[in-house]
Amino acid sequence: MGEDFSDFVAGNPQEMASQPYVDALVRWSKPQTADWFAYKESIPEAQAAAAASLTERLGIPFEPSDVCLTNAAIAALAVALRAVADDGDEVVIVRPPHFLYEPLIMAAGARAVRVDVDRRTFDLDVDAIGEALTPRTRAVIVNTPHNPTGKVFPPQTLKRLASVLEEASRRRTIYLLSDEAYNRIVFDGRAFTSPAAIYPNTMLIYSYGKQLLAPSERIGYIALPPTMPGREEVRMAVLTAQLATGYAFPNGILQHALADLEQISVDMDVMQGRRDLMVAALREMGYELHVPEATFYLLVKSPIADDLQFTDMLADERVLVMPGSMLEAPGRFRISLTASDEMIERSLPGFAAAMKRAAEG
């Protein structure tokens, strides 16, 4: 890709890493004990830092021992699925889903069952989720804030979902896997409510890669709320699954640094400014899109039905985006706001030119 391209494809950093983040890694790379770089599971100090942060931000008194550190959210989901699902089980996923959800479910021996979000509001369709539950359902994966729509599922929706899952769990416990990788990337001062505050059998999944804009530095966790029945057994199942999933623990340096990393985050004023600029500019050109409540992304309606063809048209203008078809959202495309300000400004004539070509047929 040439330097004149604007890359909006993925949530990758397009600018140099923040100095506090670099300083933290340098500081904790210096060994303080002989076993600094030895095999690590979840380091107690890191568990305590994560639990304290969760308690402060979400108002849920997580115990440090209930924070199972993993090498980011994808590994956490793989571990959680392996811990709770058996061969032949079903896992409900919300569409559009992350493209790795189904492979992770299949790897655990289960089958994915899709339920669409409400296409008008992008909120959860709780009635449809309820209809999708069967005696084989073992888990529901909910991604909030939701990638790619940017929807933050509100407390009233989560309460309705909890009621449906509690009723269905009379036969067999259904776990809610709450993928919250973007729970700190929320716009307009909006409050975020975790399903773990409402439904006791929630496994909270988190990754620091979004907060730190460092997705290759893999650290995250599974957190079990104190209200979860039998969480000691679940914790042991998670540990066993971490070992069986290829030693799914983060490296030692990132764990040692976690208390420092907890204090660092992407600049939300900058991110929100980029959101507002792009929404206004694209709407003025004739694009249809909503204003996301959270995440790094804009989900834009393609001006032609074939989103793959239109993303090719944008690429001709040196603008790279992710086609919605890759996210099970055909007819749309996704823009990542992690692009630099320079890329955004450079891209606007390209977006306008592609729209004009589409309008001209």
Side-chain angles (χ1 to χ4, degrees):
M1 182 179 69
E3 293 184 358
D4 58 341
F5 275 78
S6 293
D7 185 358
F8 298 97
V9 175
N12 274 322
Q14 303 291 347
E15 299 167 298
M16 295 299 288
S18 72
Q19 194 59 48
Y21 179 64
V22 174
D23 291 344
L25 295 186
V26 170
R27 175 187 173 191
W28 293 101
S29 294
K30 298 174 182 177
Q32 298 180 20
T33 61
D35 66 348
W36 201 250
F37 302 124
Y39 290 112
K40 303 294 182 189
E41 293 181 2
S42 292
I43 296 176
E45 292 81 3
Q47 291 175 292
S53 174
L54 284 167
T55 301
E56 179 182 358
R57 291 186 295 107
L58 303 180
I60 306 170
F62 284 90
E63 294 289 337
S65 59
D66 289 324
V67 177
C68 310
L69 290 155
T70 64
N71 40 342
I74 293 301
L77 283 163
V79 167
L81 288 163
R82 182 169 287 201
V84 302
D86 296 321
D87 287 347
D89 280 347
E90 295 173 352
V91 178
V92 174
I93 60 176
V94 175
R95 183 163 52 188
H98 192 284
F99 58 87
L100 285 177
Y101 283 174
E102 185 167 32
L104 294 175
I105 292 166
M106 293 173 64
R111 182 176 73 88
V113 177
R114 287 167 168 76
V115 174
D116 291 331
V117 296
D118 184 306
R119 294 296 183 177
R120 182 179 58 87
T121 65
F122 294 131
D123 202 358
L124 293 175
D125 188 337
V126 176
D127 291 338
I129 291 174
E131 292 170 2
L133 303 178
T134 75
R136 295 302 306 173
T137 305
R138 188 55 162 163
V140 176
I141 300 179
V142 168
N143 175 210
T144 181
H146 185 248
N147 170 18
T149 67
K151 179 70 174 179
V152 178
F153 300 135
Q156 58 269 29
T157 298
L158 298 176
K159 289 176 182 177
R160 288 184 58 223
L161 177 62
S163 179
V164 167
L165 295 179
E166 285 166 1
E167 179 63 29
S169 291
R170 292 177 184 274
R171 299 184 297 260
R172 181 188 185 209
T173 300
I174 297 176
Y175 290 93
L176 181 59
L177 309 187
S178 183
D179 181 357
E180 302 182 14
Y182 297 92
N183 70 17
R184 301 192 205 191
I185 315 298
V186 180
F187 298 124
D188 304 308
R190 182 173 279 101
F192 172 79
T193 300
S194 170
I198 298 170
Y199 183 62
N201 285 306
T202 296
M203 303 173 78
L204 192 160
I205 308 294
Y206 188 69
S207 169
Y208 289 89
K210 315 303 180 185
Q211 166 194 339
L212 300 170
L213 257 185
S216 72
E217 302 304 302
R218 311 294 291 169
I219 186 167
Y221 53 71
I222 301 167
L224 310 179
T227 52
M228 176 181 282
R231 73 185 193 276
E232 294 81 5
E233 291 79 6
V234 176
R235 190 193 310 145
M236 185 56 63
V238 167
L239 176 60
T240 302
Q242 285 180 278
L243 297 170
T245 308
Y247 212 75
F249 299 95
N251 73 52
I253 292 174
L254 291 173
Q255 292 201 59
H256 293 309
L258 194 60
D260 285 354
L261 301 184
E262 275 285 353
Q263 310 307 313
I264 305 167
S265 183
V266 62
D267 189 325
M268 286 306 300
D269 289 337
V270 170
M271 201 63 64
Q272 186 165 317
R274 290 173 179 171
R275 179 202 65 173
D276 295 343
L277 186 158
M278 288 293 288
V279 168
L282 292 174
R283 283 179 170 174
E284 186 175 354
M285 296 173 196
Y287 288 95
E288 295 182 36
L289 71 160
H290 67 290
V291 180
E293 299 171 346
T295 76
F296 293 149
Y297 307 113
L298 303 180
L299 190 62
V300 187
K301 185 176 180 181
S302 171
I304 60 176
D306 189 339
D307 57 278
L308 291 168
Q309 181 181 353
F310 187 70
T311 57
D312 286 342
M313 293 167 65
L314 284 171
D316 291 341
E317 304 296 335
R318 290 176 164 71
V319 177
L320 304 179
V321 300
M322 181 172 287
S325 296
M326 289 187 63
L327 304 165
E328 298 188 32
R332 299 177 183 268
F333 62 90
R334 192 190 75 175
I335 293 170
S336 173
L337 297 172
T338 59
S340 66
D341 292 338
E342 181 184 1
M343 284 183 174
I344 289 172
E345 292 293 341
R346 191 170 64 225
S347 73
L348 297 181
F351 279 111
M355 172 60 84
K356 182 179 179 182
R357 285 177 57 193
E360 293 171 349

